[in-house]
Amino acid sequence: MDIAFRPRIGLIGGSRAEKKFLRSAEEVGRLIARREGILVCGGKAGVMEAACRGAKSAGGLTVGIIPGSNKTEANPYVDIVIATGMGYTRNSLVVMNADVVIAVDGEYGTLSEIAYAIVYGKEVIGLGTWDIAGVVPAKDAADAVERAFSRLGMPVN
Amino acid sequence: MDIAFRPRIGLIGGSRAEKKFLRSAEEVGRLIARREGILVCGGKAGVMEAACRGAKSAGGLTVGIIPGSNKTEANPYVDIVIATGMGYTRNSLVVMNADVVIAVDGEYGTLSEIAYAIVYGKEVIGLGTWDIAGVVPAKDAADAVERAFSRLGMPVN
Amino acid sequence: MDIAFRPRIGLIGGSRAEKKFLRSAEEVGRLIARREGILVCGGKAGVMEAACRGAKSAGGLTVGIIPGSNKTEANPYVDIVIATGMGYTRNSLVVMNADVVIAVDGEYGTLSEIAYAIVYGKEVIGLGTWDIAGVVPAKDAADAVERAFSRLGMPVN
Amino acid sequence: MDIAFRPRIGLIGGSRAEKKFLRSAEEVGRLIARREGILVCGGKAGVMEAACRGAKSAGGLTVGIIPGSNKTEANPYVDIVIATGMGYTRNSLVVMNADVVIAVDGEYGTLSEIAYAIVYGKEVIGLGTWDIAGVVPAKDAADAVERAFSRLGMPVN
């Protein structure tokens, strides 16, 4: 598929997380790549790195919009690093550049991204994340990715 | 008090709100001004305008960090307009420039500000706003302002 | 004059400068304050600090839009610190928040601000700064301030 | 070459330009693509669009960091659109995400990018652009691209 038309799936979550969430994020990344989605995230460690690693293991493309001004700050599985030098203020840009968002675990930084995503009219699918109005809960990684692509009019079947 | 040392109280909430919240916000603004606090907000209508009006009615000083690039976009009770041209991305800057934050009502934009405030280590006091971990509920405007100044080591008595 | 209607004079220039430029900047700050202008600058050392010191010596009001996220980073003569956490990217916001701009000396950061000011349709008056099309040269501090206020329709006589 | 290690060449210039500059920009884009460089630009019309078209005609990869918040605003030859919603303030991010910068023609927006590039320590190579200290003049598109890659330690021979 032409790169400019591939769906962009935002993946948000903390830079530290328990193993079970890292495993979910990695699976989410892998499944996004298999569906030819571009993974857009904050480019750092934890959930973001696990998702990028999953996406790369399946030949996917990853974009990391990072807080710092130096691309070496990104995790090693980010293909296209976008440095901002704006710190957490970049959270807004992460979800602005996704067609739909999957949130895995996460604390207050993730909460700011969930809020922005909803402000921007993007659906947020949640895996073990903040239980607030507007977040659609998924039961596992496969369900989250299925919901994300369905939302974009690209269901599996 | 020297202007550079006056406490900065962030006031967040929606650009549209029910009358009862507008009344609370106005009272919060008035009380902040009486305590020589500087009111920092997003500079727009609704809860922000009500709070600024309250602050000005008591001779206070108001700062509005607005989404647009033109200062005429601010509500008429803002003294110092800071235009950003960054849209909602400016939400991060509103709370970054407060020593403590009071949230009145509000939807997802306010939620993004609550989240950022906590990321930045600022206490958030809530009046009829999002009920999430980390927000300290207040029972009315006076209680909210009292909690805010106490947090800064400036209790009434 | 009501604070919201006082003219905002942007003052741009480097965080290090020779004594003669610091003296000019201080004089510019003093004269802006005497005319009830609000001095808007980047809030750091050098030319910015000298101008703020001048403005405060004449009872003026100063705004500093700083690169970092902590207000303690501002020079001690800034009244209203606006932290951005955006590094040099904040240069755009400094001139966006001025009605007219005076540039004193300066290197490439100042050049970015001159360029932005012109993009935003603000007149730039120069004192020993970049000699490029669009910058109106002044012969000294008094001339620069006179030109700035004249531009805003507020000439001395 | 692994996408994360491909050199990133920033291409800056106006959204309107004379034909001769559009032709140069297109040739620059084509040559960057042939050398496996990633073209990073502001994603809009004029010089940016011409360069992206050139890069795509040679099978290259293009990144456009745009002022608006909607990816449809990018020119049709941008592969990876990064929306910012920050207007001209995004100019800083364009050059922050390049290893070296080529400026073609351009007005004050381009001047702000040249200034930022130098602040960030990136070499700027100029083709018919601002004649200021720090810009290395090139004689044509091929020379500009050769200088850019040489700067990155990747000369042709």
Side-chain angles (χ1 to χ4, degrees):
Chain A
M1 204 186 320
D2 188 289
I3 188 171
F5 294 101
R6 290 167 63 178
R8 302 171 160 226
I9 316 297
L11 189 291
I12 60 178
S15 55
R16 277 183 300 187
E18 289 174 52
K19 277 222 170 119
K20 66 175 175 177
F21 291 119
L22 298 178
R23 252 182 255 120
S24 286
E26 186 162 356
E27 179 68 2
V28 165
R30 191 156 33 223
L31 294 171
I32 289 170
R34 280 198 196 139
R35 303 281 294 267
E36 294 196 72
I38 297 175
L39 178 67
V40 176
C41 71
K44 300 285 288 177
V47 157
M48 296 167 268
E49 179 165 348
C52 288
R53 188 171 53 235
K56 293 312 293 175
S57 76
L61 182 63
T62 59
V63 174
I65 301 176
I66 62 173
S69 55
N70 192 318
K71 72 178 176 180
T72 59
E73 178 195 293
N75 76 61
Y77 305 101
V78 176
D79 291 318
I80 306 280
V81 180
I82 304 295
T84 66
M86 292 167 60
Y88 292 110
T89 301
R90 75 71 159 90
N91 290 6
S92 168
L93 305 192
V94 173
V95 294
M96 189 187 288
N97 285 288
D99 302 317
V100 61
V101 173
I102 298 173
V104 179
D105 189 43
E107 300 190 44
Y108 291 94
T110 302
L111 181 58
S112 73
E113 293 172 313
I114 290 172
Y116 269 125
I118 296 173
V119 167
Y120 296 143
K122 317 287 172 94
E123 182 158 293
V124 180
I125 295 149
L127 262 179
T129 191
W130 290 87
D131 176 23
I132 57 165
V135 175
V136 178
K139 52 180 205 287
D140 57 24
D143 185 42
V145 175
E146 177 54 34
R147 285 175 186 278
F149 280 84
S150 290
R151 172 70 180 182
L152 302 177
M154 306 168 75
V156 169
N157 303 303
Chain B
M1 200 185 321
D2 189 288
I3 189 172
F5 294 102
R6 289 168 63 179
R8 302 173 160 225
I9 316 297
L11 189 291
I12 60 178
S15 56
R16 279 183 300 185
E18 288 175 51
K19 278 222 171 119
K20 66 174 176 177
F21 291 121
L22 298 178
R23 252 182 255 120
S24 286
E26 187 163 356
E27 179 70 3
V28 165
R30 193 159 31 228
L31 295 171
I32 289 172
R34 281 201 195 135
R35 304 282 295 267
E36 293 194 71
I38 297 174
L39 177 67
V40 176
C41 71
K44 299 287 286 178
V47 158
M48 296 167 268
E49 179 165 348
C52 289
R53 189 172 52 235
K56 293 312 294 174
S57 76
L61 182 64
T62 58
V63 174
I65 301 175
I66 62 173
S69 55
N70 192 318
K71 71 178 176 181
T72 60
E73 177 195 295
N75 76 61
Y77 306 101
V78 176
D79 292 317
I80 306 279
V81 180
I82 303 295
T84 65
M86 292 166 59
Y88 292 110
T89 301
R90 72 76 158 88
N91 289 6
S92 168
L93 305 191
V94 173
V95 295
M96 190 188 285
N97 285 288
D99 301 318
V100 60
V101 173
I102 298 174
V104 179
D105 188 45
E107 299 190 44
Y108 291 94
T110 302
L111 181 59
S112 74
E113 293 172 315
I114 290 172
Y116 270 125
I118 297 174
V119 166
Y120 296 144
K122 317 287 171 90
E123 181 157 293
V124 180
I125 295 149
L127 263 178
T129 192
W130 290 87
D131 176 24
I132 58 165
V135 174
V136 178
K139 53 181 202 290
D140 56 24
D143 185 42
V145 175
E146 177 55 34
R147 284 175 186 279
F149 280 84
S150 290
R151 173 68 181 185
L152 302 176
M154 307 168 74
V156 169
N157 303 303
Chain C
M1 203 187 318
D2 188 289
I3 188 172
F5 294 101
R6 290 168 62 179
R8 302 173 159 224
I9 316 298
L11 188 293
I12 60 178
S15 55
R16 278 183 300 188
E18 287 175 54
K19 276 221 172 117
K20 66 174 176 177
F21 291 120
L22 298 178
R23 251 183 255 120
S24 287
E26 186 162 357
E27 180 67 2
V28 165
R30 191 158 32 225
L31 295 170
I32 288 171
R34 280 198 196 139
R35 304 282 294 267
E36 296 196 69
I38 297 175
L39 177 68
V40 176
C41 71
K44 300 286 288 178
V47 158
M48 297 167 267
E49 178 165 348
C52 288
R53 188 170 53 236
K56 293 312 295 174
S57 76
L61 182 63
T62 57
V63 174
I65 301 176
I66 62 173
S69 55
N70 193 318
K71 71 178 176 181
T72 59
E73 178 195 294
N75 76 60
Y77 306 101
V78 176
D79 291 319
I80 306 280
V81 180
I82 304 295
T84 65
M86 291 166 61
Y88 293 109
T89 302
R90 74 73 158 91
N91 290 6
S92 168
L93 304 191
V94 172
V95 295
M96 190 187 288
N97 285 288
D99 301 318
V100 60
V101 172
I102 298 174
V104 180
D105 188 44
E107 300 190 45
Y108 291 94
T110 302
L111 181 59
S112 74
E113 292 171 315
I114 290 172
Y116 270 126
I118 296 173
V119 167
Y120 296 144
K122 318 285 172 92
E123 182 157 294
V124 180
I125 295 149
L127 263 178
T129 191
W130 290 88
D131 176 24
I132 57 165
V135 174
V136 178
K139 53 179 202 289
D140 57 24
D143 185 43
V145 175
E146 178 54 33
R147 285 175 185 278
F149 280 84
S150 289
R151 172 71 180 182
L152 302 177
M154 308 167 75
V156 168
N157 302 305
Chain D
M1 201 186 321
D2 188 289
I3 188 170
F5 294 102
R6 289 168 63 178
R8 300 172 160 227
I9 316 298
L11 189 291
I12 61 178
S15 55
R16 278 183 301 186
E18 287 174 53
K19 277 220 172 120
K20 67 175 175 176
F21 291 120
L22 298 179
R23 252 182 255 120
S24 286
E26 186 162 356
E27 179 68 2
V28 165
R30 191 159 31 227
L31 294 171
I32 288 171
R34 280 200 196 136
R35 304 283 294 267
E36 294 196 69
I38 297 174
L39 177 67
V40 176
C41 72
K44 299 287 287 177
V47 158
M48 298 167 266
E49 179 165 347
C52 288
R53 189 172 51 236
K56 294 310 295 175
S57 75
L61 183 64
T62 58
V63 174
I65 301 176
I66 62 172
S69 54
N70 193 317
K71 72 177 175 181
T72 59
E73 179 195 294
N75 75 60
Y77 307 100
V78 177
D79 292 318
I80 306 280
V81 180
I82 304 295
T84 65
M86 292 166 62
Y88 293 109
T89 302
R90 73 75 159 86
N91 290 6
S92 168
L93 305 192
V94 172
V95 294
M96 189 187 287
N97 286 289
D99 301 319
V100 60
V101 173
I102 298 174
V104 179
D105 188 44
E107 301 190 45
Y108 292 94
T110 302
L111 182 59
S112 73
E113 293 171 316
I114 290 173
Y116 270 125
I118 296 174
V119 166
Y120 296 144
K122 317 287 171 90
E123 182 157 293
V124 179
I125 295 149
L127 262 179
T129 191
W130 291 87
D131 176 24
I132 57 165
V135 174
V136 178
K139 54 180 202 289
D140 57 22
D143 185 43
V145 175
E146 177 54 34
R147 285 175 185 278
F149 281 84
S150 289
R151 173 68 180 185
L152 302 177
M154 306 168 75
V156 169
N157 302 305

